[in-house]
Amino acid sequence: MSAHNITNNQTFKGVRVSSSPKLLMNLNLASMAAGATPYGLVADAAIAVDAGKVVWCGARDGVPSEFDSWQRDDLEGRLVTPALIDCHTHIVFGGNRAREFEMRLQGATYEEVARAGGGIVSTVSATRGASEQELLNAALVRVDALLAEGVTAIEVKSGYGLDVDTELAMLRVARKIEGERPVRVKTSFLGAHAVPVEYKGRADAYIDEVCIPALEKAHAEGLADAVDGFCEGIAFMSAQIERVFEKAGELGLPVKLHAEQLSNLGGAKLAAAHGALSADHLEYLDETGVKAMAEAGTVAVILPGAFYTLRETQAPPIELFRKHNVAMAVATDCNPGSSPSTSLLLTMNMACTLFRMTPEEALAGATRNAARALGLSDTGTVEAGKRADLAVWNVEHPAELAYRIGFNPLHSRMFAGAVS
Ligand code: DI6
Ligand code: FE
């Protein structure tokens, strides 16, 4: 019997399907539990799943007798890992930037692209001009690509509306994804992503008149799980980000930050001072910033897709993150400009090849540490008490997941105990 026969036990699109306890057998487990290295590997393991959760896992010969009567599913020797988590995406947006890609390849500068109507501004107009249904339909195509690789949770940012109504619309669309697909969505309000043309040269006024009012509204409507910003010369300075973070603090929302992507403005340090869940990109981060993150327990989200697309040459300080025990996550940064990627597996490969992360760090980065970057404590590892968010792979060893290029060995995906 294959894993596909496991009975659903979730509410999805309003349909409640009864739960029945299951014992998954004949599998190799990479639990990715903290401290259990390498990979938390258990050969010939079993996993007991009930009511959407893992209730027991370990070596097959240690299965407690209380599970003797449970239905068994034979996974035919496949590898089971925690399902993947993409903890940094801008997956809701209008249009695309393929034309800009062509122009850049023909030698056009960023400025020329912008003058020709390209760049982030073009995504803002396309997003403002799209209906919520259009935004949702376009996002779902990209979401499906992630789910096909065993993803069960994604973070989705606003930040291509840059006016109150469209920022809220983006977050509403992000929320709707959960009703359309078996996936968990965590939203981040990213009003401080760029200065829109109508506020050119008036970034402070934009923060006061648009960003903060939009954040208050998004919070009042329950649309924001966290608050993000882009701290960079071409976006917002740290004093401006700080005002947004102070508002987040007043509203009781956790923060995260795009920091040190193109230069070092002390963004990660600022984020750490606000107890940020994560600081993301970090190519230009120095050791002081790494230490600040370590003290605050802020996760470093590594985004190799943007590094690759922008042909960046400065790698993030991986060795310093190791030295100071900063947890590293890995994410697609799916966005139409700097990382038009919907493959978390390819991202894991890039993290290894471009940044010399180990395949184990890459997998931890797309599971356990990605969960932490989203403030999710009930997923990201395979352990008793955690949600049964699992990925079943046609591979023998977990290093294969980051090793291959453009190959998807997913056999099946379990979302809160339901195969989908
Ligand atoms: N950093 C990035 O690389 C993207 N946003 C950000 O904060 C770029 C977004 C875009 O070009 O559309
Ligand atoms: Fe980003």
Side-chain angles (χ1 to χ4, degrees):
M1 185 189 298
S2 89
H4 288 288
N5 296 328
I6 293 170
T7 313
N8 282 359
N9 60 2
Q10 61 173 342
T11 303
F12 175 55
K13 285 195 169 183
V15 182
R16 180 143 199 103
V17 190
S18 68
S19 76
S20 63
K22 291 281 168 8
L23 192 61
L24 312 181
M25 305 282 291
N26 195 10
L27 59 100
N28 292 313
L29 173 62
S31 75
M32 302 311 289
T37 53
Y39 300 96
L41 271 180
V42 184
D44 196 7
I47 304 171
V49 175
D50 189 20
K53 288 188 173 177
V54 170
V55 293
W56 183 90
C57 60
R60 184 219 291 251
D61 53 18
V63 175
S65 55
E66 64 189 281
F67 305 129
D68 281 355
S69 62
W70 286 23
Q71 185 186 320
R72 290 171 181 231
D73 281 307
D74 182 351
L75 296 193
E76 298 164 343
R78 293 188 177 87
L79 177 77
V80 177
T81 67
L84 304 188
I85 297 170
D86 195 352
C87 69
H88 181 138
T89 88
H90 308 245
I91 213 162
V92 173
F93 58 83
N96 72 71
R97 308 244 287 273
R99 179 68 194 120
E100 170 182 331
F101 182 57
E102 285 185 327
M103 285 175 69
R104 276 194 282 117
L105 287 168
Q106 283 156 13
T109 64
Y110 189 80
E111 218 184 346
E112 285 162 345
V113 166
R115 261 191 269 118
I120 195 164
V121 171
S122 71
T123 300
V124 172
S125 355
T127 304
R128 288 178 180 175
S131 69
E132 288 188 29
Q133 190 60 49
E134 285 165 344
L135 290 174
L136 179 62
N137 292 346
L140 287 175
V141 175
R142 298 184 279 268
V143 168
D144 285 341
L146 290 174
L147 302 199
E149 288 189 344
V151 169
T152 57
I154 57 174
E155 184 253 18
V156 180
K157 302 175 193 295
S158 68
Y160 287 120
L162 309 183
D163 61 34
V164 176
D165 288 348
T166 318
E167 284 296 300
L168 264 63
M170 287 185 72
L171 294 171
R172 270 193 301 272
V173 169
R175 283 273 188 257
K176 281 184 196 156
I177 292 169
E178 276 193 341
E180 296 292 325
R181 295 291 186 275
V183 68
R184 215 162 165 199
V185 172
K186 292 289 261 181
T187 58
S188 298
F189 173 80
L190 180 56
H193 188 199
V195 182
V197 277
E198 62 272 21
Y199 277 90
K200 199 166 180 214
R202 299 187 298 130
D204 280 308
Y206 170 77
I207 296 284
D208 292 334
E209 293 166 20
V210 179
C211 185
I212 288 183
L215 170 54
E216 284 170 332
K217 246 180 142 176
H219 174 68
E221 294 182 23
L223 292 173
D225 298 323
V227 175
D228 196 351
F230 187 19
C231 187
E232 196 57 64
I234 56 164
F236 297 94
M237 304 309 287
S238 53
Q240 291 157 340
I241 297 292
E242 190 155 27
R243 285 199 285 133
V244 179
F245 279 4
E246 272 159 17
K247 177 55 71 179
E250 273 171 40
L251 300 174
L253 292 173
V255 301
K256 41 182 56 234
L257 189 64
H258 289 69
E260 276 72 76
Q261 180 186 3
L262 308 169
S263 61
N264 187 345
L265 296 185
K269 216 172 155 192
L270 171 73
H274 284 78
L277 287 171
S278 71
D280 306 39
H281 287 289
L282 305 170
E283 279 83 344
Y284 288 83
L285 187 64
D286 58 21
E287 189 159 12
T288 320
V290 174
K291 281 185 186 160
M293 289 177 65
E295 274 159 36
T298 298
V299 176
V301 178
I302 306 300
L303 303 169
F307 175 96
Y308 167 86
T309 302
L310 300 176
R311 306 184 80 223
E312 177 58 70
T313 51
Q314 167 105 9
I318 303 297
E319 201 47 61
L320 289 177
F321 292 136
R322 290 184 183 129
K323 177 178 163 193
H324 295 288
N325 281 318
V326 173
M328 290 182 279
V330 169
T332 62
D333 195 14
C334 172
N335 78 66
S338 66
S339 190
S341 161
T342 47
S343 175
L344 193 48
L345 288 173
L346 179 57
T347 305
M348 289 161 59
N349 172 267
M350 288 176 169
C352 298
T353 301
L354 300 174
F355 301 153
R356 317 316 286 163
M357 286 175 72
T358 66
E360 187 178 9
E361 286 172 332
L363 184 56
T367 56
R368 183 180 73 239
N369 293 338
R372 223 180 107 179
L374 297 182
L376 294 172
S377 54
D378 60 354
T379 191
T381 62
V382 184
E383 290 178 276
K386 299 268 174 155
R387 281 167 59 107
D389 292 341
L390 309 176
V392 182
W393 307 97
N394 289 314
V395 307
E396 286 177 16
H397 189 276
E400 289 175 58
L401 299 176
Y403 151 72
R404 307 230 186 146
I405 302 172
F407 180 72
N408 179 5
L410 188 79
H411 169 263
S412 51
R413 197 193 71 126
M414 188 182 270
F415 177 69
V419 170
S420 52

